[in-house]
Amino acid sequence: MSHPVAAPLIELKNVRFGYGERVVLDGLDLSVPRGQILAVMGGSGNGKTSLLGLLGGRNVAWAGSVHVDGQDVGRLNGPGLYALRRRMGMLFQFGALFTDLSVFDNIAFPYREQTNLPEPVIRDLVLMKLEAVGLRGAAQSMPSQLSGGMARRVALARAIALDPMLMLYDEPFTGLDPISAGIIGRLIRRLNDAFGMTSLIVTHDVNETLRIADRIVLVSDGRIVRDMTPAEVRVSDDIFIRQFADGLPDGPVPFHYPAPAYGRQLLGGASGSGGADA
Amino acid sequence: MLDLLDRLGAVTLGALARLGLATLFFGAVFARTWRGLKRGALLVREIHFSGVRSLAIILVSGLFVGMVLAVQGYEVLQRFGSADALGSLVALSLVRELGPVVTALLFAGRAGSAVTAEIGLMRATEQLAAMDMMAVDPISRVVVPRFMGALVSLPILAVIFSSAGVIGAYLVGVELIGIDAGAFWSQMRASVDFRLDVLNGLFKALVFGLAVGLISVFEGYHAAPTAEGVSSATTRTVVISSLSVLTLDFILTVLMFRGLN
Ligand SMILES: Nc1ncnc2c1ncn2[C@@H]1O[C@H](COP(=O)(O)OP(=O)(O)O)[C@@H](O)[C@H]1O
Ligand SMILES: [Mg+2]
């Protein structure tokens, strides 16, 4: 490999990004060493999915730099970007399985599109990946026949098909029962270690995160505000951490979306009262 | 008044922005069409989904349109004592106009809307994003085959529609009303010109296939990623396709038959 093992796989420096007028990330610094599982936590709308988009090259930073395996993601052209993405896997929030293909064909998809392997070899590889997520028996099912947890595992098998160096997970536990979430969590840890990957998990599931992550960072106001290990999180009395870990409704992260003064709006003075003033 | 102008301005700007988006998108589609053509299996699948599945509605509609044409045409022609010309009237109406136009309208409702819904749902459920992250270009893999499917299917369906229409007219005109079968066919053969009528009709169908295909994939690809977004995109496909087909038909007809008389 051209980079020393010590060089971090992911390196974001002073990243600024948003949509239209709206700034979502501002002054974000983050570095992830190889082999680690990093959990990115933060409330909804804090730009966690946008951050994954920056790493995958689907979003381009307004300022600052995004490096993955030494490559400046924002500067890559089409083929260069696709070459990098072939070494990345991404698990989308709801799996994003191809609904017109069977489980088997979903996992065969990356092999058929990206390699010239003969069909019998592809078959063995697909069955191996399915076995790794415990769903070899579901190969002939259609995605619509799977439970949420199973669909997520199939999507995971598809994401690791080409043995990526980096796995990106967008809220892998959301909408799952605790048992399914536990299964996914253990799979993430096992695959990361077995295949020598690096993983970045965007999540707000504190329990699972504390169990599997090597490091946890907290995003708020567009930047990283805390960076700790699970052990540190458990004993911390930091108000930011406690609000997250204990699920307190209000704290440094406000419960209320910014709004005009309540009393004034009720009395009809302020705008934003919808159709009433039409 | 100012408010009205304001709104008019906003609508115009919105329409222009969408037109720009469409132009860029069509450019991207055409740039990948050649590469897409090499994936024969994908194309065959889309021709099956769009074309073969529209077959029943096209056959039945063609048959009925032909039967109605025979009834109406006979009613007018026999007043002038030229009921024998029924074959040529029916065939010319079908080959020049009704075949391509009605087929395109039906195709937009049957297949175009389905293509929009399918691609829109893939967008809403992040299947297109997932594909892109797997380094597979969604325009080459998803959009081009569906567009090509429409382009190839529509002319074939138009021919089938016209043929079914002629058979329908034969059943009503000859079998039911009792026009001489020999006159029916010979009049038809004598009046339909291959280049002027058949090729022009096919060309129209090809242009309509291009329009309906592009509109269907564009609306799906750029649908808002929500349930309402997909459903309104589907409606837009049918409305915009229908209006485009009728407008294009007028323009093409004027260009093709100008200066002939
Ligand atoms: N494609 C987009 N266009 C405009 N705004 C967006 C888009 N995607 C996300 N946003 C906005 O950016 C903010 C951050 O979104 P996101 O990265 O999805 O946050 P998270 O994943 O932490 O919930 C949100 O306020 C969201 O509304
Ligand atoms: Mg998100």
Side-chain angles (χ1 to χ4, degrees), chain A residues 106-123:
Chain A
N106 260 281
I107 299 167
F109 183 89
Y111 298 116
R112 289 177 180 151
E113 294 291 328
Q114 306 289 8
T115 71
N116 292 316
L117 295 171
E119 214 38 45
V121 177
I122 291 181
R123 180 177 169 276

Side-chain angles (χ1 to χ4, degrees), chain A:
Chain A
M1 222 178 246
S2 54
H3 304 282
V5 180
L9 184 70
I10 296 177
E11 186 110 66
L12 288 93
K13 286 209 183 101
N14 204 15
V15 166
R16 195 174 144 82
F17 174 76
Y19 301 92
E21 305 272 278
R22 192 178 161 184
V23 178
V24 174
L25 300 173
D26 195 5
L28 185 126
D29 290 294
L30 180 66
S31 135
V32 187
R34 289 161 201 273
Q36 245 192 16
I37 296 184
L38 174 83
V40 178
M41 304 191 71
S44 291
N46 265 300
K48 304 185 299 299
T49 299
S50 305
L51 172 64
L52 295 182
L54 286 166
L55 293 170
R58 289 179 56 77
N59 300 332
V60 177
W62 290 356
S65 67
V66 177
H67 282 87
V68 173
D69 197 31
Q71 289 183 282
D72 188 340
V73 180
R75 295 250 166 93
L76 290 174
N77 57 2
L81 190 58
Y82 270 10
L84 182 64
R85 282 185 190 165
R86 277 186 212 110
R87 300 192 293 143
M88 287 185 185
M90 174 148 178
L91 184 67
F92 283 81
Q93 199 162 344
F94 297 103
L97 291 175
F98 301 130
T99 38
D100 57 336
L101 300 181
S102 68
V103 164
F104 183 94
D105 289 332
N106 260 281
I107 299 167
F109 183 89
Y111 298 116
R112 289 177 180 151
E113 294 291 328
Q114 306 289 8
T115 71
N116 292 316
L117 295 171
E119 214 38 45
V121 177
I122 291 181
R123 180 177 169 276
D124 292 349
L125 286 168
V126 170
L127 292 179
M128 275 163 60
K129 297 298 172 187
L130 274 175
E131 177 73 17
V133 298
L135 289 177
R136 195 163 40 82
Q140 295 316 318
S141 310
M142 292 305 285
S144 58
Q145 299 169 311
L146 303 176
S147 71
M150 284 165 78
R152 211 81 56 102
R153 279 149 75 189
V154 172
L156 182 50
R158 184 180 68 178
I160 59 167
L162 299 175
D163 297 322
M165 61 177 174
L166 171 65
M167 268 301 298
L168 307 173
Y169 296 91
D170 195 354
E171 313 218 355
F173 311 117
T174 304
L176 297 185
D177 60 88
I179 297 175
S180 302
I183 292 174
I184 295 279
R186 274 190 296 278
L187 267 176
I188 292 175
R189 181 79 249 181
R190 211 177 68 214
L191 293 172
N192 189 78
D193 298 345
F195 293 103
M197 301 190 291
T198 305
S199 305
L200 197 145
I201 311 176
V202 155
T203 173
H204 35 231
D205 187 313
V206 180
N207 286 331
E208 282 310 320
T209 305
L210 289 179
R211 202 170 325 176
I212 63 167
D214 294 309
R215 210 173 113 213
I216 297 170
V217 298
L218 199 57
V219 184
S220 183
D221 274 336
R223 68 192 63 187
I224 308 278
V225 291
R226 294 293 183 278
D227 186 340
M228 315 175 93
T229 64
E232 287 167 341
V233 170
R234 286 196 191 90
V235 300
S236 167
D237 52 11
D238 182 292
I239 48 169
F240 253 115
I241 298 293
R242 291 272 58 90
Q243 187 187 358
F244 255 92
D246 305 336
L248 305 177
D250 226 339
V253 179
F255 165 66
H256 285 286
Y257 191 81
Y262 196 26
R264 209 149 43 87
Q265 194 171 20
L266 285 181
L267 293 172
S271 62
S273 47
D277 56 1

Side-chain angles (χ1 to χ4, degrees), chain B residues 24 31 92 94 140-141 149 155 192-194 198 202 224 226 238:
Chain B
L24 287 177
L92 286 180
L94 283 168
S140 304
R141 182 64 172 67
V192 177
D193 181 78
F194 181 71
V198 177
L202 275 178
T226 58
V238 177

